[in-house]
Amino acid sequence: MKFTVNGKDYALVVESHERLLDVLRNRLGLKGTKEGCSTGDCGICGVLMDGKLVNSCLIFAIQARNKRVETIEGIGTAEKLHPVQRAFMEWNASQCGYCIPAMILAAKNLLDKNPNPTQDQIRRATSGILCRCTGYLKIFEAVQAAAEEMKG
Ligand code: FES
Ligand code: FES
């Protein structure tokens, strides 16, 4: 199969049962995508596929054929963070960090489509991702702050 991950083209032979999550982590070495429940409930394995947030533990790799996948590794760099990443740091929106790659992807996807989200829209956009640490409030505040910065 051919697909694009973080703007880079890949051609891989995959098994029919291989999950996108495993291909990203084990074949491409993109360990930023985390595994939680493995059953589609926690959202922590979230990646963007053609601009849609999907649970990569539920997607067979072959379903990503000819699609554009984005993982946390494709969002900003250590030298130049994406505004959402910077806001998560500045607002202390991360504790253990396990859910944060998916949260940041969900937030970025929202802000790409809707630069002026309401609190309710932010909550809905991130509602499929369970965070055991933060209580969510700091995450919502960080996304709002990122929206303000990106508008500016
Ligand atoms: S690990 Fe995929 S939804 Fe929980
Ligand atoms: S920061 Fe720990 S699960 Fe969200």
Side-chain angles (χ1 to χ4, degrees):
M1 63 177 266
K2 291 183 180 173
F3 70 147
T4 304
V5 182
N6 300 331
K8 194 169 162 193
D9 293 333
Y10 289 90
L12 297 177
V13 177
V14 297
E15 301 288 343
S16 57
H17 62 269
E18 262 187 290
R19 304 176 305 172
L20 179 59
L21 174 65
D22 297 320
V23 166
L24 292 172
R25 285 182 55 86
N26 303 334
R27 308 270 300 267
L28 305 187
L30 298 171
K31 305 281 188 185
T33 304
K34 305 299 183 210
E35 180 159 19
C37 64
S38 318
T39 53
D41 294 310
C42 73
I44 278 170
C45 61
V47 298
L48 301 178
M49 191 162 81
D50 281 354
K52 198 168 166 229
L53 188 70
V54 297
N55 290 335
S56 62
C57 73
L58 292 185
I59 303 268
F60 288 120
I62 196 68
Q63 291 175 274
R65 189 168 61 124
N66 298 328
K67 296 211 176 347
R68 185 172 45 87
V69 174
E70 288 173 83
T71 70
I72 192 65
E73 287 87 351
I75 312 296
T77 62
E79 294 73 33
K80 192 172 188 307
L81 295 175
H82 187 280
V84 174
Q85 291 172 312
R86 198 165 43 249
F88 269 63
M89 283 178 59
E90 288 171 357
W91 285 80
N92 294 321
S94 174
Q95 288 189 25
C96 80
Y98 208 69
C99 71
I100 298 301
M103 285 288 188
I104 286 175
L105 287 167
K108 177 199 172 285
N109 201 35
L110 170 68
L111 299 184
D112 283 348
K113 293 172 180 162
N114 176 5
N116 290 305
T118 63
Q119 270 291 310
D120 191 50
Q121 288 167 330
I122 292 171
R123 286 168 189 243
R124 280 173 194 268
T126 53
S127 63
I129 305 161
L130 300 183
C131 176
R132 296 179 181 194
C133 311
T134 64
Y136 299 99
L137 198 56
K138 288 286 172 193
I139 290 175
F140 302 146
E141 288 173 342
V143 178
Q144 195 80 66
E148 295 301 323
E149 187 190 332
M150 287 168 76
K151 269 190 282 177

